[in-house]
Amino acid sequence: MKESVYVMAMEIGSEFPDGITFDELIEKIEKKSGKTISINAKYGLVEWFVEAFTTDDRIRASSHKPFETYRTMIPSYFRDKRDFYLPAFQDFQRAKFVLSGKTFKQYIDYLELKESREQALKANRTAKVSIWIAMITLLASTIIPLFSKPIPQPPFEVEVIDDKTQNQALELEIRALKEELQRVETLIQTYKSDTLND
């Protein structure tokens, strides 16, 4: 967005807390914008300048006409009535002006609005990126299962297979151990009875 001459004037004025002359302001605006300000634009700018900037009371008092009439005198300069108001205009040209409090507040409000707008645009871009990521993720989660191998399903019935040959071998081993144990017990009893008799 192209910055207006008035916004540039407020920005430049805020950079000069000790004041700036109207001619210096015009020069800096032209340098910043890279364009020459036309006479008609200067006319509008000087009317705004007299309202938006303020100066020392000594300048006002030393003027041949009251400062408050600059509103009518200065624009008249641009209408080729320079000689009539020459002393007042010379005071105006020498005077250093600073932003008025009201104008400075307007400039601060403009900067805050501009920053809010930039952040809103950034948040909007971030939201759009987030939405695209969510859409891609949703699409991927829908398409990937179509092309992947099927996931094995657990069996619905669990069937226990009983191996009878293994059970029969275990039963035979258990019987053999029981018989061995009975023989050992018989031998122990025989040994005990023999030792008691002797």
Side-chain angles (χ1 to χ4, degrees), residues 11-64:
E11 180 183 349
I12 292 167
S14 71
E15 294 170 0
F16 289 88
D18 295 332
I20 187 169
T21 66
F22 181 73
D23 291 335
E24 289 172 337
L25 182 67
I26 293 292
E27 182 183 310
K28 292 193 180 298
I29 290 172
E30 288 177 341
K31 185 177 180 183
K32 184 173 182 173
S33 67
K35 296 179 182 176
T36 304
I37 298 176
S38 69
I39 293 294
N40 290 333
K42 282 183 186 177
Y43 171 71
L45 186 60
V46 78
E47 284 185 342
W48 173 82
F49 180 80
V50 171
E51 291 289 323
F53 283 69
T54 187
T55 190
D56 193 313
D57 287 336
R58 289 174 293 176
I59 302 285
R60 294 178 191 218
S62 70
S63 174
H64 295 280

Side-chain angles (χ1 to χ4, degrees), residues 17-115:
D18 295 332
I20 187 169
T21 66
F22 181 73
D23 291 335
E24 289 172 337
L25 182 67
I26 293 292
E27 182 183 310
K28 292 193 180 298
I29 290 172
E30 288 177 341
K31 185 177 180 183
K32 184 173 182 173
S33 67
K35 296 179 182 176
T36 304
I37 298 176
S38 69
I39 293 294
N40 290 333
K42 282 183 186 177
Y43 171 71
L45 186 60
V46 78
E47 284 185 342
W48 173 82
F49 180 80
V50 171
E51 291 289 323
F53 283 69
T54 187
T55 190
D56 193 313
D57 287 336
R58 289 174 293 176
I59 302 285
R60 294 178 191 218
S62 70
S63 174
H64 295 280
K65 296 281 184 181
F67 180 78
E68 286 72 25
T69 61
Y70 276 7
R71 191 173 302 118
T72 56
M73 287 187 294
I74 302 306
S76 298
Y77 169 76
F78 294 104
R79 293 187 192 123
D80 297 325
K81 296 180 184 175
R82 176 180 179 173
D83 294 337
F84 184 69
Y85 297 116
L86 187 60
F89 185 74
Q90 288 170 344
D91 287 343
F92 174 77
Q93 278 188 313
R94 286 191 300 268
K96 294 252 185 202
F97 290 83
V98 294
L99 279 178
S100 68
K102 181 180 177 184
T103 307
F104 189 73
K105 172 142 181 16
Q106 289 173 341
Y107 180 61
I108 296 298
D109 291 343
Y110 166 78
L111 291 178
E112 288 173 352
L113 179 67
K114 185 177 174 183
E115 184 179 344

Side-chain angles (χ1 to χ4, degrees), residues 138-183:
L138 180 65
L139 189 64
S141 66
T142 305
I143 292 176
I144 288 174
L146 298 175
F147 296 104
S148 64
K149 293 180 181 178
I151 299 172
Q153 297 290 328
F156 294 107
E157 269 184 45
V158 177
E159 194 174 311
V160 178
I161 301 173
D162 193 16
D163 189 9
K164 292 186 180 184
T165 56
Q166 188 177 8
N167 286 344
Q168 288 175 352
L170 286 174
E171 285 179 14
L172 285 175
E173 193 174 328
I174 291 172
R175 270 194 227 138
L177 287 173
K178 281 183 181 178
E179 287 176 4
E180 188 69 33
L181 188 60
Q182 282 178 352
R183 261 190 273 143

